[in-house]
Amino acid sequence: MGQNMSVSSVESMFPDVKTMAEKIEMPNKNFSYGTAGFRDNASILDGVLFRTGILACLRSIKTGMNIGIVVTASHNPEHDNGDKIV
């Protein structure tokens, strides 16, 4: 697609995103994206994962390419959970 998108065009494509985003609590913390993605305690990553999903969707629309998200969990220690855009 490769087009510039305004907030209103994004809202028209995803009308429920704002409502859903308002329901997800984002902790008062700065998250940084490193070589391993966003990593932290799983209990505070809901908002990060939601926003990562939105970013991946928008990036896919803009570039016309497939964008994926890797979520680490299961046997990892709680502080070592995270997500990564691929």
Side-chain angles (χ1 to χ4, degrees):
M1 216 177 210
Q3 64 185 24
N4 291 328
M5 292 183 286
S6 67
V7 171
S8 60
S9 65
V10 171
E11 288 176 346
S12 68
M13 291 187 315
F14 306 102
D16 298 326
V17 167
K18 186 175 181 181
T19 303
M20 293 184 325
E22 289 170 349
K23 294 179 181 179
I24 297 174
E25 186 175 329
M26 194 68 178
N28 186 16
K29 176 179 179 166
N30 289 328
F31 291 91
S32 61
Y33 190 87
T35 57
F38 293 108
R39 300 184 88 66
D40 212 312
N41 188 309
S43 66
I44 62 172
L45 286 176
D46 289 351
V48 171
L49 189 54
F50 178 82
R51 286 161 176 79
T52 302
I54 298 299
L55 178 62
C57 289
L58 294 174
R59 190 171 183 183
S60 179
I61 290 167
K62 181 155 178 75
T63 64
M65 299 178 72
N66 294 325
I67 306 294
I69 300 173
V70 176
V71 178
T72 61
S74 70
H75 65 279
N76 293 327
E78 198 170 283
H79 66 275
D80 203 21
N81 289 289
D83 71 342
K84 186 173 193 174
I85 297 175
V86 292

